[in-house]
């Protein structure tokens, strides 16, 4: 009963992951990371720090905004609890993400040689 009531209140929005190939793609990703970075209210966090890790953040999250939001939010909470009040790459690496992002980040990306391609 309760599940159907909740399901009736939400709409599923399926977004494709953001790409990180062209300079325009990178600019969109950097703008997203910059806006999340600027929203942080941590005492020792230097604004712009997350933008310096934009490529890492994209690789780690697979370009998924939800995964990025979760990663930054959890890192901020951990930094508040441990008293550092700043987000570092070392801290980001310690945060566990959703299954899709973790599998994407750990999957080996090998290019097939033309002779290895299947018809």
């Amino acid at each position: 009963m309760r599940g159907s009531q909740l399901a009736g209140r939400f709409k599923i929005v399926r977004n494709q992951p953001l790409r990180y190939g062209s300079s325009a793609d990178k600019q969109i990703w950097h703008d997203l990371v910059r806006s999340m970075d600027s929203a942080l209210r941590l005492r020792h966090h230097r604004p712009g720090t997350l933008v310096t890790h934009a490529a890492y953040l994209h690789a780690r999250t697979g370009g998924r905004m939800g995964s990025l939001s979760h990663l930054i939010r959890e890192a901020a909470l951990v930094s508040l609890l441990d008293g550092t009040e700043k987000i570092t790459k070392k801290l980001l690496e310690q945060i566990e993400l959703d299954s899709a992002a973790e599998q994407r980040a750990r999957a080996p990306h090998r290019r097939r040689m033309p002779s290895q391609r299947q018809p």
Side-chain angles (χ1 to χ4, degrees):
M1 176 83 159
R2 191 176 305 159
S4 63
Q5 288 178 349
L6 288 174
R9 295 179 184 155
F10 298 98
K11 178 180 177 182
I12 294 175
V13 178
R14 299 192 194 284
N15 291 323
Q16 293 296 318
L18 295 173
R19 295 182 305 241
Y20 199 71
S22 70
S23 58
D25 294 339
K26 290 177 183 176
Q27 186 61 52
I28 290 168
W29 183 258
H30 285 222
D31 289 346
L32 175 61
V33 172
R34 185 176 293 107
S35 68
M36 290 185 175
D37 183 286
S38 67
L40 292 170
R41 298 297 179 254
L42 300 171
R43 195 174 328 165
H44 303 292
H45 179 76
R46 286 191 323 236
T49 299
L50 294 181
V51 180
T52 64
H53 302 304
Y56 163 77
L57 292 168
H58 189 274
R60 180 80 195 281
T61 63
R64 291 176 177 82
M65 288 185 278
S67 298
L68 175 66
S69 175
H70 173 83
L71 176 60
I72 293 172
R73 183 177 54 248
E74 189 163 336
L77 289 170
V78 169
S79 76
L80 284 168
L81 292 172
D82 71 14
T84 60
E85 290 200 42
K86 65 180 178 180
I87 297 177
T88 62
K89 188 174 179 185
K90 183 178 179 180
L91 175 58
L92 292 167
E93 289 171 342
Q94 296 171 5
I95 304 298
E96 188 175 332
L97 290 177
D98 56 274
S99 297
E102 290 294 343
Q103 288 174 358
R104 169 102 168 99
R106 287 175 172 57
H109 298 290
R110 292 187 205 140
R111 281 192 172 174
R112 285 186 173 191
M113 299 301 290
S115 61
Q116 293 176 319
R117 291 193 179 134
Q118 296 176 357

